[in-house]
Amino acid sequence: MDKIKVRFAPSPTGPLHIGGARSALFNYLFATHNGGELVLRIEDTDLDRSRREYEDEIIDSLHWLGLKWNEGVDIPGPNGPYRQTERLDIYAKYTLQLLESGQAYYCFCSEEELEAERKALLASGEMQKYSGKCRSLSDAEKAAKFAQGIKPAIRFRVPEHEEYVVDDLVRGRVSFASDDIGDFIIVKSDGIPTYNFAVVIDDVLMGITHVIRAEEHLSNTPRQLAIYDALKLKRPEFAHISLILGSDRQKMSKRHGATSLIQYRQMGYLPEALFNFLALLGWSPEGEEEILAPAEIMNAFTLERVAKSPAVFDLDKLNWLNQQYIKKLEAGELAELVKPYLEDSVWNEQILKLDQEHYNLMVMAVRDHLVALSDIKQEVEVFLAGLTYENEAKQLLSEEDVLPVLEVFGDGLGEFMPVDEVKSYLKRLTKELKLKPKNVFMPVRCALSGRTHGPDLPSMVSFWGCDETRRRLQHSIEMIKEWR
RNA sequence: GGCCCCUUGGUCAAGCGGUCUAAGACACCGCCCUUUCACGGCGGUAACGGGGGUUCGAGUCCCCCAGGGGUCACCA
């Protein structure tokens, strides 16, 4: 068997979508699992909507996700160029071949005409396909149209009574009748080929052995098969993976919230988490473990285990996965990852003043509370904000036996710093006062932070240091007296 | 509307004719752990869309219906 070669071929008409990312991922997984190669091709034949910025953005997203390819628009290879608009002369040769053999023909119909035709067909309930009006124009008629200055499109003449069969690697055998397909345009009037045409030429020339793409392309496949046949080209294998749906079971769109990879990146989702999550959407490993590193997924990935049914994007599960990955982060890693979010927050100035030790102490103290990295902004507030009291804390502090506890805590406060020392000090106090741990920890927590819950108390005390801790304690003691 | 695809708990899903009185995960609920919140541990609620076949036996195979989705563009 030939070496496996797959491709991901996005259109640079917007940021990389979740669905596109998953298609890319499955191609990547299939390639790496089988020791094959991945090509990144840019399908920019829609001149109006394609933009170079999007191309860069897509590549950036792909890299961020952790995907790599062997050749493509940014990596020179033997089958370039990899941008379709740079391959126009290549398509032209095949167009000519089709035209000369009569398998394609010029179509002079205007868009208005076609639109009207379509509407009429829709209204009458008939099959919506091109009427074939320009199918058999005489040379004279064609010359007349050209003379009028009309720029024709080129249509592919779909053979009659053919059956196109796809042995899809995930869906099994699917067949289409050619009679249900109207002659379709392969070259637009501006000379740019359309998707269904260019994709065939490119996949063949680039040596693609397996076309893995979203299910929305399944009904395009017979058109492409017709072109393979007309040009006597060898067909690749096909695998159509199911769509990703929003929570309302509709195709994912903007109104479902964040749909581009960039947005998830900005919100602070880790690439490993997205990689893992996307892989689990439509594919499942044999074992029961679901938290899998990229390498493990590559190892286990096969098309046989790809599901046919569409999958709803489950943000809850992504959140859970992301949290799992964040929990595994070490201080240094977390500190780095979280930095941009803090720099972007109101705490930036204070954070700049912190030494590495304090900074790490703080982020590690809240690490297990983070669902996404951006949560750091809220989580860190208790360390950096001034002392204000939540109602519940106020209530607790107003209880009878709280004051003595706070005073004793303040008296014994030394010049310590490490978290462990604070912790053992608090434990010791608990024993000496013959109180339940809760009756020591909670008053102190409320007095120092103004809140009934938050990060680990010893970490906070250690972070503030004895001066700030004393200051907060004194303030609270005064407040308590005032409240009485 | 034509064609095509899909259909196991709220969600992701395992299952590929008997071991299914149907796994696991997320979410939810409860208990435990605990200085709070979280984390973690344990447990619980919850599903084979409907109807016909085939078969000794069907979630698993076939047909019909229903529902959902995709596609029918000079968009990809």
Side-chain angles (χ1 to χ4, degrees), chain A residues 15-33:
Chain A
L16 184 64
H17 186 96
I18 289 290
R22 202 205 26 174
S23 292
L25 176 64
F26 278 30
N27 274 286
Y28 173 75
L29 291 172
F30 183 72
T32 51
H33 179 85

Side-chain angles (χ1 to χ4, degrees), chain A residues 100-168:
Chain A
E100 283 175 346
S101 64
Q103 289 166 296
Y105 58 90
Y106 288 110
C107 174
F108 296 90
C109 297
S110 69
E111 291 195 50
E112 295 73 38
E113 264 177 281
L114 294 170
E115 185 58 38
E117 219 174 77
R118 259 197 301 277
K119 273 194 183 143
L121 285 175
L122 192 65
S124 69
E126 279 178 74
M127 219 186 290
Q128 283 185 64
K129 62 180 224 188
Y130 177 61
S131 65
K133 195 188 287 181
C134 297
R135 245 188 166 181
S136 42
L137 257 28
S138 66
D139 287 347
E141 287 171 309
K142 276 185 263 185
K145 295 281 191 184
F146 273 120
Q148 285 173 47
I150 302 177
K151 291 230 187 239
I154 297 171
R155 274 185 197 272
F156 181 76
R157 189 187 302 272
V158 177
E160 289 173 11
H161 316 311
E162 271 303 311
E163 191 189 17
Y164 291 109
V165 179
V166 197
D167 279 309
D168 194 283

Side-chain angles (χ1 to χ4, degrees), chain A residues 17-151:
Chain A
H17 186 96
I18 289 290
R22 202 205 26 174
S23 292
L25 176 64
F26 278 30
N27 274 286
Y28 173 75
L29 291 172
F30 183 72
T32 51
H33 179 85
N34 295 295
E37 298 194 335
L38 176 62
V39 177
L40 177 70
R41 182 174 70 226
I42 296 295
E43 309 211 325
D44 58 349
T45 54
D46 185 340
L47 267 24
D48 293 335
R49 294 194 302 150
S50 294
R51 299 207 338 211
R52 201 52 164 271
E53 301 89 270
Y54 286 134
E55 182 184 310
D56 297 338
E57 199 177 302
I58 289 168
I59 289 174
D60 202 42
S61 290
L62 256 15
H63 280 311
W64 175 74
L65 227 207
L67 308 194
K68 292 180 178 66
W69 44 96
N70 305 279
E71 51 186 288
V73 78
D74 58 337
I75 299 175
N79 306 296
Y82 296 92
R83 234 184 314 261
Q84 291 187 323
T85 50
E86 291 168 13
R87 301 171 60 80
L88 265 23
D89 51 330
I90 296 171
Y91 308 124
K93 286 194 300 203
Y94 292 93
T95 306
L96 196 64
Q97 188 180 328
L98 255 17
L99 238 23
E100 283 175 346
S101 64
Q103 289 166 296
Y105 58 90
Y106 288 110
C107 174
F108 296 90
C109 297
S110 69
E111 291 195 50
E112 295 73 38
E113 264 177 281
L114 294 170
E115 185 58 38
E117 219 174 77
R118 259 197 301 277
K119 273 194 183 143
L121 285 175
L122 192 65
S124 69
E126 279 178 74
M127 219 186 290
Q128 283 185 64
K129 62 180 224 188
Y130 177 61
S131 65
K133 195 188 287 181
C134 297
R135 245 188 166 181
S136 42
L137 257 28
S138 66
D139 287 347
E141 287 171 309
K142 276 185 263 185
K145 295 281 191 184
F146 273 120
Q148 285 173 47
I150 302 177
K151 291 230 187 239

Side-chain angles (χ1 to χ4, degrees), chain A residues 303-318:
Chain A
L303 250 21
E304 288 73 55
R305 295 193 67 83
V306 170
K308 297 182 202 183
S309 47
V312 172
F313 183 90
D314 183 7
L315 188 60
D316 279 331
K317 188 147 184 177
L318 206 213

Side-chain angles (χ1 to χ4, degrees), chain A residues 347 366 369 375-397 440-457 460 464 472 476 483:
Chain A
W347 312 117
V366 302
H369 288 69
D375 293 339
I376 194 74
K377 295 188 228 176
Q378 294 86 263
E379 293 298 328
V380 114
E381 182 184 1
V382 66
F383 287 93
L384 306 169
L387 225 200
T388 55
Y389 304 87
E390 283 177 354
N391 278 137
E392 282 178 27
K394 214 167 176 175
Q395 240 167 43
L396 193 141
L397 288 173
V440 174
F441 279 79
M442 277 311 276
V444 175
R445 165 183 296 284
C446 291
L448 299 180
S449 75
R451 306 175 186 199
T452 50
H453 50 246
D456 174 62
L457 180 58
M460 289 196 290
W464 286 318
R472 286 174 176 249
S476 290
W483 291 334

